[in-house]
């Protein structure tokens, strides 16, 4: 099943963040915790299941870690971007959109209930 394969690929890309050879301590970077990885995988899996259930367009995110131990997951579509930042139980999102010379953003708490409405904002709703 395509959904299962996509879920496995996403889980692997998130877990690969901490498996790469990187001098976390030598650079003063905080390595993402196991809870961070679990929650990052959980939120993206839930989003993908809802996207599949609603028969929405899906494209894979890019995932990386920042120096503070957050797992960051992002998508760009047309003139909008959606970024999830997850560290342990702290989860937030940032929506960024632009049109002509205006760029706006919104940052709020992320949870399992609002992730599908955020996705639909990214792929369906006009930016302005």
């Amino acid at each position: 099943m395509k959904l299962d394969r996509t879920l496995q690929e996403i889980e692997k890309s998130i877990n690969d963040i901490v498996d790469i050879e990187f001098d976390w301590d030598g650079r003063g970077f905080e390595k993402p915790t196991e809870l961070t990885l679990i929650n990052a995988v959980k939120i993206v899996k839930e989003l993908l299941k809802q996207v599949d259930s609603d028969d929405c367009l899906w494209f894979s995110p890019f995932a990386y870690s920042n120096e503070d131990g957050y797992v960051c997951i992002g998508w760009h579509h047309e003139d909008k971007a959606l970024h999830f930042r997850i560290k342990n139980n702290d989860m937030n999102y940032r929506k960024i959109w632009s049109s002509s010379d205006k760029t706006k953003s919104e940052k709020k708490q992320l949870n399992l209930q609002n992730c599908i409405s955020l996705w639909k904002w990214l792929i369906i709703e006009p930016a302005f």
Side-chain angles (χ1 to χ4, degrees):
M1 176 182 212
K2 185 178 178 186
L3 178 62
D4 289 338
R5 188 174 68 244
T6 303
L7 287 170
Q8 290 172 351
E9 290 169 1
I10 292 168
E11 186 170 5
K12 182 179 179 342
S13 72
I14 291 171
N15 287 321
D16 281 352
I17 291 170
V18 296
D19 291 338
I20 61 171
E21 292 296 321
F22 187 76
D23 184 15
W24 297 93
D25 295 330
R27 297 193 183 253
F29 286 11
E30 189 176 333
K31 188 174 184 177
T33 65
E34 186 67 26
L35 179 58
T36 297
L37 296 173
I38 290 167
N39 283 336
V41 168
K42 182 179 179 179
I43 196 86
V44 176
K45 279 185 172 183
E46 182 61 30
L47 173 60
L48 181 56
K49 288 177 186 176
Q50 290 180 19
V51 164
D52 185 61
S53 174
D54 290 358
D55 199 29
C56 294
L57 169 71
W58 173 260
F59 47 94
S60 292
F62 56 93
Y64 61 96
S65 175
N66 71 10
E67 63 272 8
D68 295 323
Y70 280 84
V71 168
C72 305
I73 303 164
W75 298 266
H76 293 263
H77 183 67
E78 297 176 356
D79 55 354
K80 297 183 279 186
L82 177 61
H83 298 268
F84 293 174
R85 283 179 15 120
I86 300 150
K87 181 177 181 182
N88 297 321
N89 289 318
D90 178 27
M91 298 189 292
N92 59 67
Y93 70 85
R94 180 175 300 273
K95 296 185 336 185
I96 303 166
W97 63 98
S98 61
S99 176
S100 60
D101 62 343
K102 297 178 184 178
T103 299
K104 294 187 177 187
S105 72
E106 170 186 288
K107 180 181 176 185
K108 292 186 179 176
Q109 289 300 116
L110 172 66
N111 56 54
L112 295 174
Q113 292 73 40
N114 68 2
C115 64
I116 190 65
S117 63
L118 293 167
W119 183 258
K120 288 180 178 180
W121 167 84
L122 179 68
I123 64 163
I124 298 171
E125 296 176 18
F128 283 93

